[in-house]
Amino acid sequence: YALEIGKGYKEVLVDEYQDTNEAQDTIFWAVSQNEENLFMVGDAKQSIYRFRLAMPEIFIERRDRYENFRGDNYPCRLTLGANFRSRKGVLSAVNFVMRYIMSKEMGEIDYNEEEEMAFAAPFSEDDSPCMRFELIDLKDTREQELLEDKEDIEANRVAAIIREMMDSGFEISENGERRPAKYSDFVVLLRSFNLYSEAYVKAMARMGIPSVAQGAGSFFGAAEVSTMLSLLEVIDNPLQDVPLLAVMMSPLFGFTPDELAEIRLSNEGEMLYRAVAFCAGQGMDKCAQFLKDIERFRALAGTMPCDALIRRVCDETGYYSVVQGMPFGEQRIANLRLLEDYAMRFERTGKGGLSGFLRFIDRLKRQKGDLQAAEVHSQHADVVRVMSVHNSKGKEFPVCILAGCGRQFNMVDLRSPVLLHPEMGIGMMRYDPKTDARYSTLPREALALEIERANISEEMRVLYVAMTRAKEKLIVAATLSDLEKAVKRLANKLQGGNKLSPYAVRRAKGYYEWLIMAALRHPDGGELRGIAGVGEDVVIPCEDRWEINIVNATELQGGEAVMESGPAVSPDEGLMEELRARLEFVYPHKGALSVPAKVSASQLSGKELNFEFFAKKRPSFMEEGALTGAERGTALHKFMQFVDFGGTESLEQELGRLVARGFLTQAEGEAVNLKKVERFFESRLFERIMSAQEYYREKRFNVFVPASMLEDGAGEDNVVLQGVVDCVFREDGGLVIVDYKTDWVERESVLVERYGKQLDLYAFAMERCFGLPVREKIIYSFHLDREVAL
């Protein structure tokens, strides 16, 4: 209905209204029946996407035009103040902090009784504090390294808090009943997620706490992905120094800096790949093996889809095992699998091939794009989640730990020489060509002040969103280099009344300043007031309790190191025996692992895979030309399969018949050497075939054979062997196997050595199929024009 009305006002909007606000007014007026049923509802305090150009002031300005809903006073505004998520103590903490710092001047909303949240959740009464403020002081650290590891210290403390709560049997409410907390009830929220999430995950891993950094950062930035992409670039074109260097120094090939320096100095001025080739020629085995591997992968790249190539490379190099042994191995394996999946999806577009996939990745990188990293755990997994505040929006967690509050606000955008504002326009620095210096201008300073105000307001809303994610317990952690100095400095900003001055709010360097100034005025902030030297007259009444802990980093280093190593327990002998048995276990069918479950007899002809075939395969534009040697051999086999053994008067006529009926293509027909076929028909072997009790051509089979027949030491487990025997005939109660070969050879012994194992398997299969012994195995060589008995 609204769309239909909107269509009717399309011309009005286009022709008469150039101002955006006026056009919006017209839309609202059109779809609300002259504003007779229009109301505004929403919480502008949760608008935290200014970096995506969100403008909460648009909503706030419109909402402020209307009065509160009284039943029939349209247009109006509805305030949904009841909170059905959190305990009363959590809401009290949020209201206390926000009521103290948020105002119309700083925050764009006056946080008053109308804006604050009212408790409406069905929680039972609980006197324990729902708000815990953890302040970590680095002042008395004796070792300089501790200052450098500030993030690790806080991460260790957060992990210790989670371990402490789990070990103490902390309970939460669910469906009106109390139950012990699970790891999935905890979340660690970070304002700067990409920079610091790994430290918290590592800290929890050290204490045996399962965790996951949800929505963790860049897919291309992951070490395992960037290494594999570098290897793919080298496979596509090895004459690229940067990817080649990355691959050589990676765990895949393990070249040391000294070795690379030696390679570089051996052939200065040349590309790195040519220097590697030079060293390989000079007898450096590591370089020779590296080149051999790259050439093999390059040969495979011409015949495999990109996803299969990635899988093959990881299997052959053992890269899956390498990354699984690294920190967060499960995540790294999942990223490699995801890279395969992305490559497979790209192949399906029809623009496949390694080069096309790499160009696609390169375009994404140049456009500052990225792909979604793998998610290892499901949303129901019992793990502690580490996520950004923005990613947590719309979610709720029984225990919410807001960490990293001791960091300063990021105001880097104010340093740009050119500033933009949607209403105030543009302001830029001025360049002085005489002194080669730049200095700010009045318009730029005005824009900087307004952008700073907007950023501080945005940070206030981010803090509000983070604190309101908690259902039962809110823990705020901040690490300061000198807590006493910070508390005394902030205490000087306190003033009368129940609100912090907008100026003091604006000059705050981080969340910790707002929180400490609020804690100084909370009834439970006595220890902080003692440090600051202020009296109790600054206290603002509050019914709900806070737990404020001040801890020293040196104490944490001593105490939590013990926690990281785990509690001292005596070993369980039964468990030790089971672990020992599992570690010493040897798979009884280990030998069969080297043999596929199903193999073709033609693959076991005694020859290794010939990569020259891939390298010398003709391009598609030459497919209409003369057949290769292998294709001519195939054509002769097809002719021998379909030629009429008993009723052929003229081989030329028979060849014409097979071509005409589509058994052979025209090119294949022209490739068949009829003189060679004629000599076969004149041979003693052909006479035996025609005199046999029965004969079969192209006899197909599938039989079970012991793996040991295919590879020495593979065990007696059965595998499926499939194949096709060119000809088998029954003679004197036994079988004779005939295999046609078109190989160019000088001696019969070459054929015996090359195909002996294949015919042994044919014999084994035919005995199983016919229940008769194989008396002879014969190779008929069309090149030598004679039979070769094995």
Side-chain angles (χ1 to χ4, degrees):
Y1 175 71
L3 288 176
E4 291 299 321
I5 295 178
K7 290 177 184 177
Y9 287 91
K10 180 178 179 180
E11 298 299 326
V12 176
L13 293 177
V14 172
D15 295 339
E16 297 186 17
Y17 296 100
Q18 302 299 322
D19 180 74
T20 303
N21 290 330
E22 193 173 1
Q24 289 175 346
D25 289 345
T26 304
I27 293 173
F28 285 120
W29 176 76
V31 300
S32 64
Q33 301 179 8
N34 300 333
E35 298 189 354
E36 292 180 1
N37 62 352
L38 175 66
F39 62 90
M40 300 291 292
V41 60
D43 188 0
K45 300 186 296 298
Q46 296 195 46
S47 176
I48 57 173
Y49 294 100
R50 187 178 290 275
F51 66 95
R52 293 180 183 170
L53 304 184
M55 298 178 67
E57 55 268 24
I58 295 177
F59 179 87
I60 294 171
E61 185 273 333
R62 179 174 296 278
R63 188 198 64 173
D64 288 347
R65 297 184 198 173
Y66 307 136
E67 296 180 354
N68 289 328
F69 176 69
R70 297 191 302 271
D72 57 355
N73 58 321
Y74 296 103
C76 64
R77 63 182 181 189
L78 273 175
T79 301
L80 303 181
N83 181 287
F84 298 89
R85 169 191 296 158
S86 305
R87 279 191 175 277
K88 183 173 179 291
V90 173
L91 298 181
S92 174
V94 176
N95 288 335
F96 187 89
V97 173
M98 291 299 152
R99 192 188 303 118
Y100 186 58
I101 65 173
M102 186 176 285
S103 63
K104 191 70 174 176
E105 295 82 1
M106 290 304 303
E108 298 168 341
I109 292 174
D110 188 14
Y111 200 94
N112 50 29
E113 292 182 359
E114 183 180 340
E115 291 291 342
E116 65 185 27
M117 293 177 293
F119 173 65
F123 283 110
S124 58
E125 292 293 331
D126 190 346
D127 294 334
S128 60
C130 294
M131 167 68 173
R132 177 171 175 175
F133 192 14
E134 202 78 10
L135 287 164
I136 304 170
D137 188 7
L138 300 177
K139 178 182 178 182
D140 295 329
T141 52
R142 297 181 178 87
E143 297 178 8
Q144 184 63 27
E145 290 79 4
L146 293 180
L147 290 175
E148 298 172 0
D149 297 334
K150 176 180 177 181
E151 301 305 329
D152 291 335
I153 292 174
E154 182 173 311
N156 289 337
R157 180 58 179 167
V158 168
I161 291 172
I162 297 174
R163 170 58 62 202
E164 169 194 321
M165 294 177 69
M166 290 294 292
D167 292 345
S168 65
F170 181 77
E171 293 185 342
I172 65 167
S173 298
E174 185 175 67
N175 299 324
E177 298 182 357
R178 304 288 287 175
R179 65 162 176 82
K182 301 183 296 184
Y183 289 117
S184 56
D185 295 323
F186 292 81
V187 66
V188 178
L189 299 184
L190 299 171
R191 182 66 175 95
S192 302
F193 175 81
N194 290 335
L195 294 177
Y196 305 110
S197 60
E198 187 173 351
Y200 291 85
V201 174
K202 285 182 177 179
M204 284 185 273
R206 287 193 293 268
M207 292 197 183
I209 300 172
S211 63
V212 58
Q214 192 158 325
S218 169
F219 178 71
F220 294 143
E224 64 280 0
V225 174
S226 62
T227 299
M228 182 52 58
L229 289 175
S230 294
L231 179 55
L232 294 178
E233 290 182 44
V234 171
I235 292 171
D236 185 56
N237 177 12
L239 300 179
Q240 302 181 81
D241 284 2
V242 174
L244 183 61
L245 184 63
V247 169
M248 293 177 70
M249 294 195 69
S250 73
L252 283 168
F253 297 99
F255 282 81
T256 66
D258 290 342
E259 289 171 336
L260 285 167
E262 181 182 350
I263 293 169
R264 180 74 280 174
L265 292 173
S266 68
N267 201 352
E268 294 186 59
E270 288 287 348
M271 291 183 173
L272 181 59
Y273 184 78
R274 293 188 176 130
V276 174
F278 177 81
C279 290
Q282 297 298 312
M284 189 179 286
D285 294 338
K286 198 169 185 178
C287 290
Q289 183 60 46
F290 173 73
L291 292 179
K292 182 179 178 181
D293 291 340
I294 294 300
E295 288 306 310
R296 184 172 74 258
F297 295 147
R298 281 173 60 78
L300 290 171
T303 61
M304 282 185 167
C306 196
D307 57 309
L309 176 65
I310 295 172
R311 190 160 49 251
R312 179 71 172 267
V313 168
C314 289
D315 287 337
E316 289 198 11
T317 59
Y319 196 44
Y320 289 133
S321 300
V322 171
V323 302
Q324 197 162 23
M326 298 166 67
F328 311 110
E330 189 178 3
Q331 175 70 44
R332 298 180 191 277
I333 289 287
N335 279 339
L336 288 176
R337 298 294 187 193
L338 187 60
L339 180 63
E340 293 176 27
D341 185 61
Y342 285 139
M344 180 178 63
R345 294 186 206 176
F346 180 81
E347 290 281 351
R348 289 175 181 170
T349 64
K351 305 173 183 177
L354 179 59
S355 296
F357 180 63
L358 291 175
R359 285 195 298 271
F360 164 70
I361 296 296
D362 184 60
R363 282 196 302 272
L364 275 179
K365 289 181 177 179
R366 282 190 281 106
Q367 296 168 3
K368 307 298 182 184
D370 205 344
L371 297 174
Q372 178 63 46
E375 291 286 353
V376 178
H377 300 281
S378 71
Q379 62 178 354
H380 302 296
D382 188 20
V383 295
V384 177
R385 283 168 172 77
V386 182
M387 65 174 64
S388 67
V389 176
H390 285 82
N391 196 27
S392 72
K393 192 171 184 297
K395 301 180 177 68
E396 57 185 37
F397 300 91
V399 182
C400 177
I401 303 175
L402 177 58
C405 291
R407 303 187 195 105
Q408 295 189 2
F409 294 138
N410 183 0
M411 295 293 178
V412 67
D413 52 343
L414 299 182
R415 303 174 194 162
S416 173
V418 178
L419 298 180
L420 297 173
H421 190 274
E423 294 181 356
M424 297 176 65
I426 185 171
M428 62 185 72
M429 286 186 171
R430 183 171 180 177
Y431 173 70
D432 188 346
K434 294 181 180 179
T435 61
D436 197 28
R438 291 185 306 180
Y439 52 90
S440 189
T441 60
L442 186 61
R444 185 186 175 281
E445 287 299 307
L447 263 67
L449 289 172
E450 179 58 24
I451 293 173
E452 180 190 45
R453 186 202 62 79
N455 287 350
I456 293 296
S457 297
E458 180 85 351
E459 293 294 345
M460 201 176 299
R461 291 191 293 269
V462 171
L463 178 62
Y464 174 82
V465 168
M467 296 179 72
T468 54
R469 299 308 97 197
K471 294 175 65 177
E472 301 198 40
K473 187 79 171 180
L474 173 62
I475 302 172
V476 180
T479 303
L480 304 176
S481 57
D482 190 337
L483 178 65
E484 181 180 355
K485 182 179 179 180
V487 171
K488 288 181 177 179
R489 175 175 57 83
L490 295 172
N492 292 330
K493 298 181 180 181
L494 299 181
Q495 57 189 29
N498 293 338
K499 267 198 181 298
L500 188 62
S501 70
Y503 177 79
V505 172
R506 181 169 186 155
R507 302 313 299 170
K509 298 177 182 179
Y511 295 142
Y512 70 96
E513 295 201 2
W514 292 338
L515 293 167
I516 288 176
M517 285 189 282
L520 282 167
R521 305 203 64 176
H522 192 275
D524 291 323
E527 187 174 0
L528 288 176
R529 288 191 291 274
I531 294 173
V534 297
E536 297 296 315
D537 56 322
V538 300
V539 172
I540 299 175
C542 181
E543 296 180 0
D544 295 281
R545 295 169 52 205
W546 286 15
E547 179 184 356
I548 301 176
N549 296 327
I550 300 175
V551 291
N552 190 282
T554 53
E555 298 172 4
L556 296 182
Q557 285 296 108
E560 287 174 10
V562 177
M563 295 187 66
E564 290 178 22
S565 63
V569 294
S570 57
D572 186 330
E573 289 300 327
L575 178 61
M576 293 297 293
E577 282 298 322
E578 182 179 353
L579 288 173
R580 194 174 295 111
R582 292 191 180 190
L583 290 173
E584 295 174 355
F585 173 76
V586 177
Y587 183 53
H589 307 284
K590 184 178 180 181
L593 295 177
S594 59
V595 181
K598 184 177 183 180
V599 294
S600 171
S602 60
Q603 296 175 345
L604 305 168
S605 58
K607 298 186 295 182
E608 294 183 357
L609 186 62
N610 185 1
F611 284 94
E612 292 183 3
F613 167 77
F614 301 116
K616 296 179 181 179
K617 185 178 179 183
R618 295 176 302 150
S620 58
F621 64 83
M622 294 180 63
E623 288 295 329
E624 299 299 326
L627 300 182
T628 65
E631 291 168 335
R632 287 196 298 271
T634 301
L636 183 57
H637 271 78
K638 290 171 69 174
F639 179 80
M640 293 300 296
Q641 176 183 354
F642 297 113
V643 65
D644 186 356
F645 273 8
T648 301
E649 296 181 0
S650 168
L651 289 177
E652 289 79 3
Q653 292 180 359
E654 183 67 6
L655 180 61
R657 181 182 71 85
L658 294 179
V659 172
R661 299 187 64 179
F663 290 98
L664 283 81
T665 65
Q666 186 65 39
E668 288 175 331
E670 294 173 357
V672 174
N673 190 334
L674 293 180
K675 291 183 179 180
K676 296 288 185 180
V677 177
E678 186 175 357
R679 292 192 187 101
F680 170 76
F681 283 160
E682 294 172 352
S683 68
R684 170 62 184 156
L685 177 60
F686 182 69
E687 291 182 7
R688 291 177 64 187
I689 293 173
M690 299 307 296
S691 302
Q693 295 168 307
E694 57 181 347
Y695 67 87
Y696 300 89
R697 288 187 287 173
E698 295 293 314
K699 178 62 178 177
R700 300 181 180 274
F701 63 84
N702 280 277
V703 296
F704 283 112
V705 299
S708 58
M709 288 189 64
L710 308 181
E711 185 171 324
D712 294 338
E716 296 305 312
D717 295 283
N718 286 332
V719 298
V720 176
L721 176 71
Q722 68 177 14
V724 181
V725 178
D726 292 335
C727 182
V728 58
F729 61 91
R730 185 158 58 91
E731 183 182 74
D732 297 332
L735 300 175
V736 179
I737 293 174
V738 180
D739 196 40
Y740 308 134
K741 297 299 178 187
T742 59
D743 302 36
W744 189 96
V745 292
E746 294 181 351
R747 300 182 308 279
E748 297 177 1
S749 60
V750 176
L751 293 174
V752 174
E753 181 181 355
R754 186 176 294 174
Y755 298 107
K757 186 173 184 178
Q758 181 181 350
L759 267 73
D760 288 341
L761 294 171
Y762 283 168
F764 181 89
M766 291 301 98
E767 288 179 352
R768 296 297 184 275
C769 291
F770 289 96
L772 296 172
V774 173
R775 301 193 183 280
E776 288 186 69
K777 296 172 288 185
I778 298 172
I779 292 176
Y780 185 85
S781 172
F782 282 93
H783 174 70
L784 300 175
D785 292 326
R786 60 177 176 269
E787 61 186 80
V788 179
L790 278 74

